[in-house]
Amino acid sequence: MQVGAGIRRHGWAQLLVLAAALTACGQDAEPEPDAKPSAQAPTRNSTAGSTATAVASGATVGAPGSACELPVTFATGRDWKAEAIDNSAAGSGDFGDLALRQGPVTAVCEIDAKPAGNIGFLRVFTAPPGNAGIRSVLAAFVAAEGKVGEAKYTPFKTGGLDGVQVDYLYSSEFLDEPKQESALAVGTPEGPVVLHLGGLDTEEHRAMLPALELARRTLRVG
């Protein structure tokens, strides 16, 4: 996270002289205001053109024998922990079904950023093959999330795959302000695949964007 500027730097000699002077006068040093996170508006540009710092590559998921077997493979950020999601209850109509499904796709893998020091997940959703284009699938996924706005769709190519990424703002009664989220979709012979990156808030999301960029850059058909 970026921290706002405003804390003046002094050499040790100047600090000692200042402290001595304040003590002699019987005055307490007035504390500097606490540093606050940057209040800049969320950036909603695709990670394709972002200046986010690259993240070190960790494990590769998607291949047989990996934490999640998927129609695609991609690299995760270092220390991110992948875990397959049991969606055997999907379609039962219980609460678990609501948590697993979002629009036309079903969650199959969750990659946790907490071991890497961030609060958020990169989640993978899949669906059977169909006639809908990947942008339509992605738009339906975003619409199913609820109150969203300012969605920007950007096409991309990677590893022989055609894809679409969307960056948008998500609002909820439980949030103080809208937060940025991103998702991307690619088509495979086994059906569409959606990767979604959320985060506790916009700041956490921005910090994790390099991991989404890494995943997108390394996407390949499994």
Side-chain angles (χ1 to χ4, degrees):
M1 299 182 188
Q2 295 183 344
V3 178
I7 301 178
R8 183 174 298 172
R9 297 180 181 273
H10 298 278
W12 284 109
Q14 290 91 332
L15 286 175
L16 291 173
V17 171
L18 178 61
L22 290 174
T23 301
C25 296
Q27 298 174 338
D28 294 329
E30 183 175 349
E32 292 280 357
D34 292 339
K36 299 294 184 182
S38 171
Q40 293 179 352
T43 300
R44 291 175 293 281
N45 293 329
S46 165
T47 56
S50 74
T51 57
T53 304
V55 65
S57 179
T60 296
V61 300
S66 65
C68 302
E69 296 187 12
L70 305 167
V72 295
T73 63
F74 60 89
T76 65
R78 181 176 294 173
D79 296 328
W80 287 52
K81 184 179 180 181
E83 182 178 359
I85 297 174
D86 180 9
N87 57 22
S88 60
S92 64
D94 58 10
F95 179 80
D97 183 42
L98 295 176
L100 291 170
R101 289 191 180 280
Q102 185 163 324
V105 294
T106 301
V108 293
C109 184
E110 183 174 81
I111 307 168
D112 191 354
K114 285 195 293 294
N118 294 106
I119 304 175
F121 297 90
L122 177 62
R123 293 188 173 97
V124 185
F125 297 76
T126 62
N131 296 324
I134 54 174
R135 174 159 177 159
S136 297
V137 170
L138 191 57
F141 172 86
V142 172
E145 189 165 358
K147 190 175 180 181
V148 298
E150 300 188 35
K152 179 180 179 180
Y153 290 84
T154 308
F156 66 88
K157 292 180 179 291
T158 182
L161 294 169
D162 291 322
V164 178
Q165 179 167 325
V166 60
D167 301 282
Y168 59 96
L169 293 178
Y170 169 70
S171 301
S172 166
E173 60 182 312
F174 303 108
L175 298 173
D176 293 332
E177 60 183 7
K179 67 186 181 82
Q180 184 180 355
E181 297 192 359
S182 301
L184 61 85
V186 294
T188 78
E190 296 182 45
V193 177
V194 173
L195 275 62
H196 173 263
L197 180 69
L200 178 67
D201 53 28
T202 292
E203 230 180 332
E204 287 290 334
H205 179 82
R206 288 176 180 171
M208 296 184 294
L209 276 174
L212 180 63
E213 164 65 17
L214 173 65
R216 194 193 68 179
R217 191 173 67 247
T218 57
L219 269 172
R220 302 291 185 270
V221 173

